Amino acid sequence: MTDKELIEKLKSSPQAGLAAVVDRYTAYVMKIARTKLNGICSSEDIEEAVSDIFFKFYQTGQSCGFDIRSVRAYLSVIAGRHCTDVFRKHISSPDILPLEDAGEIPAQEPLSDNRTALAAAIKKLGEPDTSIFIRKYFFGQKTKEIAEELHLNPKAVDKRVSRGLVKLRKILKEEA
Amino acid sequence: MKRENDELKIDLSVQDAELFEDTFAGFEENAEVTDAEKKRVLSSVMRKAGFEMNEIINEKRKNITASKTDDTEVRRGRIQVKRGGIIAACIAVLTVGAVTVGMLHMNNINADIPEPAGQPTVEGQSTDAEDTDTTDDNAENIMPDLVGKKLSDIPSNIGYTLGYYTIDEYNSDYPEGVICSQSIPAGTVLKEGVTVALKVSKGTMIAIPDVSGSESEVAEEELRAAGFNPVVKEIYDEEVPEGIAIKTDPAPGNKAAFESEVTLFISKGKLGEPETVTVPDVVGMNEDEAMLLLKETGLCVRHKDVLNSAEKGTVVEQSAEPDTTLNKYDDITISVSAGVTEPVKLTISTPLPADLRGTYRIDLCDEDGTVKYTKSINADTLGDVKTFDFDLEGIGAEKFTIIITSDETDKSVIYGEYAVDFTNKTADIDQGLNTDDLLALNPAEWQ
């Protein structure tokens, strides 16, 4: 089911739509949560984080009538932020994190120019560098895993990161 | 395993994230989740989202027919029954309301379901929040085994507190319209308000053809002809030439649902070939125009002044020939005419501290770190007012760094930096001279 179809379903029938979103994206969200939280949280906590992410998706989506363009992008942002929250709470306190303390994710957070400029600059790096940067700095994936999944040598990944940082600086400077 | 916070660095906004949809899709490629995990997550999410019967009743009350709502009252999210013997009917009617908006898929609802045995009832107009919690030993509240049954054949009175929603999927074991799995196992005692997810077969699966080695368009067409919806993803590959199909996911031979998405991997050529640009011809342009054009092309520009009779500021040479290909962000050097054919000669005299003793080597390095001039001095023979001179030749503006090295200890200090303007025959010392560090190189007996 495409994102467009999922959004239509969420609008016409939130329950069936949410079930379809969970069915379609559990593996993806689980991978984000595992990448960010493996070794920090138990597998039960990770599963709980995944279910919280879908619930937040549903809550924030509902508040804007599911007027969203991409379920995947929306879920990715919520997953990234929620895992960061869980990560921080577990680092500072090993106790279980209650959902209501995890903080709300604004559905349409206002953008700062810097962040848009940075995202656009990362996009401009081109593949495979864009993937490497998103995996390393957004998903928190390790060089070895990135290398395996992108069929690259780990040293090549590191080299691309250091070159990419120089390129990013240049792109941002030129466009400033 | 300990990890640092700084591994979590980029925070994207929703709008930013939309830029990276393809990248995120790539990240999902190796994602794996078991059916049991998926089921647990689904169940937990639906529970958190409040998709339970009593909530649905609240939300869909407006759809309930007047004749039936007379008998029910929704209070604090719990159902209260004012008259015995009608609860099943109420629930059934409420469910019809839900069906009208597509929330539930109850079929053949019969509003005249007989009163279940042992059903607790409340008489009168009591406003007490007395619940209609069902008794666990009520046979009608046991989850039946629905797997293998046609969705259209499900009786209307399966567990009167039960609502369900369906997820359609292709399945090789069950024909179209038949339930292939249920989220609550058969035999489970159903609590009030639970919902159950039913997976309904959309039909059987078909085998994915091997399209590797075909050109992109041909491979896509073959997959479409076989009944799949190909999703093209371009990846680098050392062996498969650009534009040729490498593999599919799921792999050939595996069965996948009719009209389901099959990822078709098309080669982008060898790994990590960087973006390239074509070098423009900037010879003859003035320096500013040339810099702008080269930067817009995507190159990093360096410039050097050269002896040339062309008008000052005119580009007379470029390090890469026009129309050749360079990687984006590669360096290119332009040679800019200084407007003169003979270099300017200049002698620069630099003071040394009077207390300096011993012998030293003095190097003048240019901005690239190359030693352009060198000389040796003996501070002991320089007298009270100590200086050293360099005779320089050059054009335009240049910067030099003075590095002084002790012959005795081979230790070095950066003594200072000159900004030399050959055109105006001036030399300025930037940020003063580093006499303290230089005196630290004095032989031990003078320290």
Side-chain angles (χ1 to χ4, degrees):
Chain A
M1 195 178 275
T2 64
D3 273 13
K4 201 177 162 193
E5 290 165 337
L6 287 173
I7 292 163
E8 284 308 312
K9 201 158 193 174
L10 281 163
K11 283 180 181 170
S12 63
S13 169
Q15 182 176 16
L18 177 60
V21 168
V22 175
D23 190 56
R24 167 71 186 83
Y25 281 113
T26 299
Y28 174 61
V29 175
M30 187 72 89
K31 184 170 181 192
I32 297 175
R34 282 180 181 151
T35 303
K36 283 182 174 277
L37 301 173
N38 245 349
I40 305 289
C41 303
S42 66
S43 58
E44 288 81 11
D45 287 344
I46 289 175
E47 232 172 69
E48 188 60 21
V50 170
S51 111
D52 285 346
I53 289 162
F54 281 115
F55 177 50
K56 281 190 174 184
F57 164 84
Y58 181 71
Q59 272 187 316
T60 50
Q62 235 185 358
S63 65
C64 65
F66 294 107
D67 186 17
I68 54 180
R69 291 181 294 275
S70 161
V71 174
R72 187 189 289 281
Y74 213 79
L75 268 175
S76 303
V77 171
I78 292 173
R81 291 181 188 175
H82 185 75
C83 289
T84 303
D85 280 345
V86 174
F87 178 92
R88 286 184 183 141
K89 300 242 172 172
H90 274 262
I91 290 297
S92 59
S93 155
D95 295 334
I96 292 168
L97 169 73
L99 178 61
E100 56 271 26
D101 292 344
E104 290 302 314
I105 304 289
Q108 295 290 331
E109 185 176 280
L111 284 175
S112 74
D113 288 338
N114 276 344
R115 201 157 68 204
T116 302
L118 177 63
I122 291 171
K123 184 75 181 170
K124 274 189 189 169
L125 289 176
E127 292 298 351
D129 292 1
T130 300
S131 285
I132 292 173
F133 269 71
I134 288 296
R135 282 165 180 262
K136 187 173 178 68
Y137 294 112
F138 181 65
F139 291 125
Q141 206 175 21
K142 292 178 169 179
T143 299
K144 197 177 155 217
E145 291 163 351
I146 296 172
E148 272 171 19
E149 292 184 13
L150 295 182
H151 313 292
L152 292 166
N153 183 301
K155 281 185 182 164
V157 171
D158 283 338
K159 205 165 189 180
R160 285 189 168 276
V161 168
S162 60
R163 275 193 206 152
L165 286 170
V166 174
K167 274 190 189 181
L168 267 185
R169 223 170 280 139
K170 279 183 181 167
I171 294 170
L172 289 169
K173 204 172 164 188
E174 277 173 20
E175 291 181 0
Chain B
M1 180 171 50
K2 177 148 175 72
R3 288 200 273 176
E4 299 300 328
N5 271 324
D6 65 1
E7 281 192 25
L8 299 158
K9 279 176 181 168
I10 299 178
D11 178 31
L12 298 173
S13 68
V14 173
Q15 288 89 335
D16 287 342
E18 285 165 5
L19 278 175
F20 300 110
E21 269 196 87
D22 292 346
T23 310
F24 293 155
F27 186 70
E28 189 185 2
E29 270 166 31
N30 299 303
E32 284 175 4
V33 65
T34 64
D35 283 347
E37 285 169 332
K38 207 168 177 177
K39 202 179 274 183
R40 284 199 298 272
V41 170
L42 179 65
S43 165
S44 167
V45 175
M46 299 313 275
R47 194 181 63 246
K48 284 174 186 167
F51 285 128
E52 295 178 344
M53 196 57 148
N54 46 3
E55 299 291 332
I56 293 166
I57 289 166
N58 269 331
E59 191 182 335
K60 302 304 169 195
R61 243 182 119 197
K62 58 182 179 285
N63 294 320
I64 298 168
T65 56
S67 62
K68 298 297 177 187
T69 49
D70 285 344
D71 295 323
T72 61
E73 182 178 333
V74 179
R75 189 177 297 276
R76 295 194 291 276
R78 307 289 283 177
I79 306 168
Q80 295 177 22
V81 177
K82 296 175 184 170
R83 226 174 22 240
I86 55 166
I87 178 170
C90 290
I91 296 295
V93 170
L94 292 170
T95 310
V96 168
V99 166
T100 59
V101 291
M103 295 290 291
L104 296 172
H105 302 268
M106 284 289 197
N107 294 297
N108 304 323
I109 301 288
N110 178 0
D112 295 317
I113 297 167
E115 178 187 345
Q119 175 60 35
T121 59
V122 182
E123 294 291 344
Q125 297 296 312
S126 168
T127 54
D128 290 343
E130 191 169 342
D131 296 334
T132 59
D133 287 341
T134 57
T135 52
D136 286 354
D137 58 356
N138 186 339
E140 292 195 35
N141 258 354
I142 303 296
M143 180 68 204
D145 186 1
L146 301 177
V147 174
K149 292 186 176 168
K150 279 189 179 178
L151 186 66
S152 56
D153 289 347
I154 294 179
S156 57
N157 58 343
I158 53 154
Y160 52 80
T161 56
L162 174 70
Y164 63 88
Y165 54 90
T166 58
I167 297 169
D168 297 335
E169 67 169 27
Y170 286 93
N171 190 294
S172 53
D173 297 329
Y174 295 98
E176 191 173 353
V178 172
I179 295 163
C180 20
S181 71
Q182 57 192 57
S183 63
I184 299 177
T188 306
V189 175
L190 297 167
K191 291 178 183 170
E192 180 190 352
V194 295
T195 53
V196 60
L198 299 177
K199 286 202 172 175
V200 181
S201 174
K202 286 169 78 177
T204 52
M205 316 267 272
I206 42 180
I208 296 168
D210 185 359
V211 296
S212 60
S214 302
E215 283 183 20
S216 175
E217 288 175 7
V218 176
E220 272 191 77
E221 201 42 57
E222 281 180 22
L223 286 170
R224 254 187 224 107
F228 298 105
N229 179 18
V231 178
V232 173
K233 182 161 173 50
E234 293 186 332
I235 58 171
Y236 294 101
D237 194 284
E238 285 292 339
E239 288 163 12
V240 181
E242 189 176 350
I244 300 296
I246 306 166
K247 59 180 179 175
T248 54
D249 182 24
N254 287 333
K255 288 185 171 179
F258 178 67
E259 286 185 341
S260 65
E261 288 185 355
V262 171
T263 308
L264 171 62
F265 293 89
I266 302 293
S267 174
K268 286 207 285 188
K270 285 190 176 181
L271 274 177
E273 283 176 6
E275 199 178 337
T276 55
V277 294
T278 303
V279 177
D281 186 359
V282 296
V283 171
M285 291 183 179
N286 76 39
E287 184 182 355
D288 290 344
E289 284 172 350
M291 294 273 255
L292 189 66
L293 179 59
L294 291 168
K295 276 183 182 172
E296 279 176 356
T297 306
L299 295 168
C300 296
V301 194
R302 307 182 73 170
H303 97 284
K304 64 178 182 184
D305 293 317
V306 293
L307 295 171
N308 198 288
S309 57
E311 189 183 345
K312 188 183 171 198
T314 306
V315 177
V316 292
E317 200 181 338
Q318 57 188 76
S319 62
E321 290 294 318
D323 296 327
T324 54
T325 304
L326 288 182
N327 290 340
K328 200 168 182 185
Y329 301 109
D330 273 359
D331 286 338
I332 184 169
T333 305
I334 52 173
S335 302
V336 179
S337 170
V340 290
T341 50
E342 290 291 327
V344 177
K345 291 182 180 175
L346 212 56
T347 300
I348 299 177
S349 185
T350 311
L352 287 167
D355 299 336
L356 191 68
R357 296 288 183 275
T359 57
Y360 298 89
R361 188 183 77 248
I362 303 176
D363 296 321
L364 281 198
C365 300
D366 65 10
E367 284 181 278
D368 292 334
T370 310
V371 177
K372 301 290 287 230
Y373 303 93
T374 190
K375 68 170 15 181
S376 292
I377 57 160
N378 184 347
D380 299 333
T381 61
L382 286 178
D384 290 339
V385 180
K386 297 182 169 71
T387 59
F388 62 89
D389 297 341
F390 273 110
D391 295 326
L392 309 180
E393 272 191 4
I395 50 173
E398 278 192 77
K399 280 194 171 182
F400 294 100
T401 306
I402 312 160
I403 299 172
I404 301 183
T405 308
S406 162
D407 288 342
E408 186 185 13
T409 61
D410 208 30
K411 286 183 179 169
S412 301
V413 295
I414 293 175
Y415 186 53
E417 282 184 9
Y418 287 129
V420 180
D421 183 345
F422 287 100
T423 310
N424 297 315
K425 296 189 176 180
T426 60
D428 294 325
I429 295 169
D430 290 347
Q431 298 171 353
L433 293 170
N434 187 6
T435 52
D436 290 347
D437 283 354
L438 180 58
L439 287 172
L441 298 185
N442 265 344
E445 63 269 27
W446 293 95
Q447 290 280 352

